[in-house]
Amino acid sequence: MEDTILVVNCGSSTLKLAVFDGAFRVRASGLAERLHQGDAVAHLRHHDQPVKLPPDASHREALEAMIHALVDLDVIQGTPSAVGHRVVHGGETFHDAVLIDEAVIEAIEDCASLAPLHNPVNLSGIRATRALFPSVPHIAVFDTAFHQTLPRKAYLYALPYDYYRQWGVRRYGFHGTSHQFMLTESAQRLGKTPATTSIISAHLGNGCSIAAIRDGISVDTSMGLTPLEGLVMGSRSGDIDPGLFDFLKTKGIDQDQLHHVLNHKSGLLGLSGQTNDMRTLCELADHGHEPSLVAVEVFCYRLARYIGAMMASLDRLDGLVFTGGIGENSARVRKQTLDHLRLSGLCLNAELNQEHGQNSDGYINDADSRFPVLVVPTNEELVIARESQRIAASQE
Ligand code: AMP
């Protein structure tokens, strides 16, 4: 029977599955959306096949239906050799991927107060898949683990120290699997080993974060206690003045409302009043829609500031790396961002930038740029599959 690794990624209303063979090639992938919302749909991408779900399907129901479809299609023969699960928050408990047992489940539950929207759904995926495949190793791969190397000066907020000691209030950082992938991929393109590579990695998707990686180790990142801090995102504000809470109270906006606004009504969506989708915003801006133009401007300026800030953590820069839907595809965002950073000597080649670096192993910088600039497509599922295989093999 061929080795297969199943990767399970449960979001708040979505479920992504991917099946890799022993050489880490994708054999199939699937996506279920609008779970728990009364109009759930699911689709297996590589076989272009819908999967029938009850309209109010839960994560467990979607997972079972999709896995049965994958077994029927012979993509999973019998059982997978390992199952890798994306888990958003590992707190300070998890510095690495880990084999899941009851104690690990309890520890993930303990971290749920730090990520109430994510860890419980991650756990429901873990429980459902363990019930389907009880005899295979299940591995948890944490978004936060890669950033557990942050030094104290980068992870502490300037708050009463007891908040950290008693409740773990600190910066954790997220998108760790993507930043880790950027490290290994860019090291390869730069002709170096990950352990001797120092990069700034900008993951720009619907969620956005940036990381400073020094000789293979994450030393600073823009997201904090939660994924709300840092860059402007699709519908999240990123950094704000905490004084806003008091001010908006005087306007009748309470904490629950503000929480909703900061997470779901801000960022590109809030500024433009139109959409969280960067491609659409760029089109609207081209047609003279001023609020969309402003949204793109604020997005790029904040990003440029953070790129500058990340330099404070590095003593050498081997490359600035763009990834995520926006980072990989938007030549405009990359240009507008680097236009702010002329003092740093980062300089794009207009033609390579326009081609998304496809013809040049990802390089988009000009020959006289002080540092290389690259575009590298991210692949979080692949990192989860590799990590799962590594942990499963270490148990044999
Ligand atoms: P992700 O969350 O990584 O899938 O990224 C989603 C974001 O990437 C959305 O804002 C999309 O509008 C953006 N995106 C995808 N393709 C393009 C493109 N060609 N130009 C600009 N933005 C894009």
Side-chain angles (χ1 to χ4, degrees), residues 203-207 268 276-280 282 324-326 329-330:
H203 176 113
L204 312 175
N206 204 25
L268 295 172
N276 61 354
D277 186 287
M278 180 60 90
R279 192 172 4 193
T280 313
C282 291
I326 299 171
N329 296 302
S330 181

Side-chain angles (χ1 to χ4, degrees), residues 5-11 14-21 24-31 45-46 82-86 139 141 143 176-179 181-182 203 328 377-389:
I5 300 161
L6 171 66
V7 171
V8 179
N9 179 353
C10 289
T14 59
L15 163 65
K16 289 188 202 157
L17 290 185
V19 181
F20 289 83
D21 66 15
F24 297 109
R25 287 178 301 235
V26 181
R27 296 202 60 205
S29 65
L31 173 68
R45 265 175 279 179
H46 281 64
V83 184
H85 298 267
R86 176 187 178 215
I139 291 95
V141 181
D143 277 20
T177 48
S178 180
H179 292 303
F181 188 69
M182 287 308 106
H203 176 113
E328 291 165 34
T378 192
N379 194 336
E380 291 170 273
E381 277 84 16
L382 177 60
V383 179
I384 296 174
R386 281 186 190 151
E387 290 288 279
S388 303
Q389 209 264 357

Side-chain angles (χ1 to χ4, degrees), residues 311-324:
M311 287 185 179
S313 313
L314 301 176
D315 54 6
R316 189 184 76 250
L317 182 62
D318 297 322
L320 166 66
V321 189
F322 286 99
T323 195

Side-chain angles (χ1 to χ4, degrees), residues 204 268 278 281-282 285-286 290 292-305 307 322 326 330-342 346 348 353-354 364:
L204 312 175
L268 295 172
M278 180 60 90
L281 281 178
C282 291
D286 283 343
E290 187 67 16
S292 298
L293 195 71
V294 170
V296 179
E297 261 175 31
V298 176
F299 181 95
C300 294
Y301 179 61
R302 176 90 55 89
L303 175 59
R305 279 176 64 199
I307 292 171
F322 286 99
I326 299 171
S330 181
R332 176 192 188 131
V333 166
R334 294 188 300 252
K335 176 178 181 328
Q336 224 170 302
T337 303
L338 291 202
D339 279 352
H340 290 295
L341 288 164
R342 292 217 180 86
L346 283 159
L348 287 180
N353 185 40
Q354 209 57 44
I364 56 168

